[in-house]
Amino acid sequence: MNIPKKALAGIALAATAALGLTACGSNAGSAPAASGSASGGAVSGEITVYNAQHDTLTKEWVDAFTKETGVKVTIRQGSDTELSNQIVQEGQASPADVFLTENSPAMAQVENAGLFADVDKETLDQVPAEFRPSTGKWTGIAARSTVLVYDKNKISDDKLPKSMLDLAKPEWKGKWAASPSGADFQAIVAALLELKGEAATEEWLKGMKENFKAYKGNSTAMKAVNAGEVDAALIYHYYYYGDQAKTGENSKNVTPYFFKNQDPGAFLSVSGGGVLKSAKNADAAQAFLKFITGKQGQEVLKNGTSFEYAIASQVDANAKLVPIKDLQAPAVDPAKLNSAKVTELMTKAGLL
């Protein structure tokens, strides 16, 4: 069939115009790196986040992410153990797209149940290897350091324990506190188990049972030190710095002591984030994880009031904190923290 030259010219012009529209549409619809999916396109819709992190911190992340992308985020708040158990029970029927925790053991529990999708490589590349599991099934999003807060009027510097393990010795009987029922403390025990083994952990927990005073919550334990009820407490660092940034009324008599020297007491607990295999909006879920480990998300940690450590995208920690490099924390693969074994050992020791 012969096609007139004028008709051919018209077809070519139309094709050129169509290509131009396609290209313009592609550029107009492309999203910033933090808000794109794994394939690089824009994300939309909504996601559900099961959140065991501090609600105020996660709300800051969510508000910034929604402003950036338009994705609606529903938050379900709970504790590490509560939400990890719920996800495992829900299995593939879980309505969660993303799971955020304060500590690693809850992440390992969900990972061991085979419920996490792989984290996008671009997200993993934002987080140094020491702050994420070797498996790549989830990633670190923040961190908190173990410290011993103490009353300087009762403990002189030369009497401070050289190691967290010293707290199980007879001379520390009745002098220190902790909150054994919390996920924070159980993460510290999980690190001890990974670093020193079951026998040493069992022995330390036995000594702890003899020596310590139980309080419910890290902040309550710190308040007890501040009030003179007990000489010291094993907690996470940000309780002290957070109170100091407010009125300081619960920490004015308290000083944080960092064990350093790769001691189990220098453990840096990684807060985790992961995308569920069953996520209904996997692209937006991955984009959210990429956003909070990206520069903008990590600057929420640096500039906010959570006083947790920024760990990703080369963002420095809050200037009031001891730099991570100076903590001399022991190397622990977060994927190997065994919450089930910790619960067993702590129950056996009469601590739970």
Side-chain angles (χ1 to χ4, degrees), residues 268-343:
L268 191 65
S269 182
V270 173
S271 301
V275 173
L276 279 298
K277 278 184 180 178
S278 56
K280 306 299 185 296
N281 191 347
D283 279 352
Q286 292 282 1
F288 179 66
L289 206 54
K290 184 178 180 183
F291 180 85
I292 64 176
T293 56
K295 190 171 187 294
Q296 190 174 347
Q298 292 294 290
E299 285 181 343
V300 169
L301 293 167
K302 178 181 179 179
N303 302 321
T305 57
S306 71
F307 291 100
E308 293 189 55
Y309 279 97
I311 58 172
S313 295
Q314 299 181 328
V315 174
D316 293 333
N318 187 296
K320 293 182 179 180
L321 302 181
V322 176
I324 284 182
K325 64 180 178 59
D326 295 337
L327 296 176
Q328 301 173 12
V332 179
D333 183 349
K336 295 182 179 179
L337 298 183
N338 189 333
S339 58
K341 189 64 179 179
V342 165
T343 300

Side-chain angles (χ1 to χ4, degrees), residues 29 46 50 52 89 94 107 109 117 217 278 331:
E46 55 188 84
Y50 276 21
Q89 289 170 359
S94 178
M107 301 299 293
Q109 181 186 0
S278 56

Side-chain angles (χ1 to χ4, degrees), residues 38-345:
S39 60
V43 293
S44 60
E46 55 188 84
I47 58 173
T48 296
V49 174
Y50 276 21
N51 182 55
Q53 249 294 352
H54 296 158
D55 54 355
T56 51
L57 170 59
T58 299
K59 188 177 186 302
E60 284 188 81
W61 276 332
V62 164
D63 288 348
F65 176 70
T66 298
K67 182 178 180 181
E68 178 89 0
T69 65
V71 173
K72 178 183 176 183
V73 181
T74 299
I75 300 174
R76 293 192 181 182
Q77 190 73 27
S79 70
D80 280 4
T81 305
E82 175 191 355
L83 291 179
S84 62
N85 285 335
Q86 184 174 339
I87 289 172
V88 171
Q89 289 170 359
E90 292 170 344
Q92 295 300 321
S94 178
D97 295 284
V98 176
F99 182 35
L100 303 181
T101 65
E102 291 188 344
N103 298 284
S104 301
M107 301 299 293
Q109 181 186 0
V110 175
E111 177 183 353
N112 292 338
L115 297 175
F116 278 136
D118 290 339
V119 175
D120 286 351
K121 184 179 184 302
E122 288 184 0
T123 300
L124 293 178
D125 287 346
Q126 295 182 147
V127 185
E130 62 265 33
F131 301 125
R132 51 183 167 84
S134 56
T135 57
K137 288 294 184 181
W138 53 276
T139 185
I141 58 174
R144 58 270 304 275
S145 176
T146 311
V147 296
L148 186 75
V149 291
Y150 69 102
D151 185 341
K152 270 195 167 184
N153 294 319
K154 294 188 175 183
I155 303 176
S156 59
D157 289 351
D158 63 321
K159 298 297 184 182
L160 287 166
K162 302 301 182 188
S163 167
M164 185 182 83
L165 300 181
D166 292 344
L167 295 174
K169 293 180 177 179
E171 58 264 33
W172 280 92
K173 186 176 179 64
K175 292 184 177 180
W176 67 284
S179 176
S181 62
D184 287 355
F185 190 81
Q186 290 170 30
I188 295 170
V189 177
L192 175 61
L193 177 62
E194 176 62 20
L195 290 165
K196 297 296 183 180
E198 185 172 337
T201 302
E202 197 166 4
E203 186 66 22
W204 187 79
L205 291 173
K206 181 180 177 182
M208 173 184 170
K209 175 64 176 175
E210 291 294 318
N211 288 352
F212 95 120
K213 295 182 179 181
Y215 288 86
K216 189 170 179 60
N218 282 329
S219 58
T220 306
M222 183 180 72
K223 287 178 185 178
V225 177
N226 189 65
E229 296 175 18
V230 65
D231 296 358
L234 194 65
I235 62 173
Y236 281 148
H237 78 280
Y238 62 85
Y239 291 94
Y240 170 80
Y241 290 96
D243 189 72
Q244 285 284 300
K246 296 175 184 175
T247 63
E249 61 183 321
N250 298 313
S251 60
K252 61 184 178 181
N253 301 319
V254 168
T255 301
Y257 170 61
F258 294 83
F259 288 95
K260 300 186 177 183
N261 300 311
Q262 288 75 50
D263 189 78
F267 170 58
L268 191 65
S269 182
V270 173
S271 301
V275 173
L276 279 298
K277 278 184 180 178
S278 56
K280 306 299 185 296
N281 191 347
D283 279 352
Q286 292 282 1
F288 179 66
L289 206 54
K290 184 178 180 183
F291 180 85
I292 64 176
T293 56
K295 190 171 187 294
Q296 190 174 347
Q298 292 294 290
E299 285 181 343
V300 169
L301 293 167
K302 178 181 179 179
N303 302 321
T305 57
S306 71
F307 291 100
E308 293 189 55
Y309 279 97
I311 58 172
S313 295
Q314 299 181 328
V315 174
D316 293 333
N318 187 296
K320 293 182 179 180
L321 302 181
V322 176
I324 284 182
K325 64 180 178 59
D326 295 337
L327 296 176
Q328 301 173 12
V332 179
D333 183 349
K336 295 182 179 179
L337 298 183
N338 189 333
S339 58
K341 189 64 179 179
V342 165
T343 300
E344 176 190 324
L345 292 175

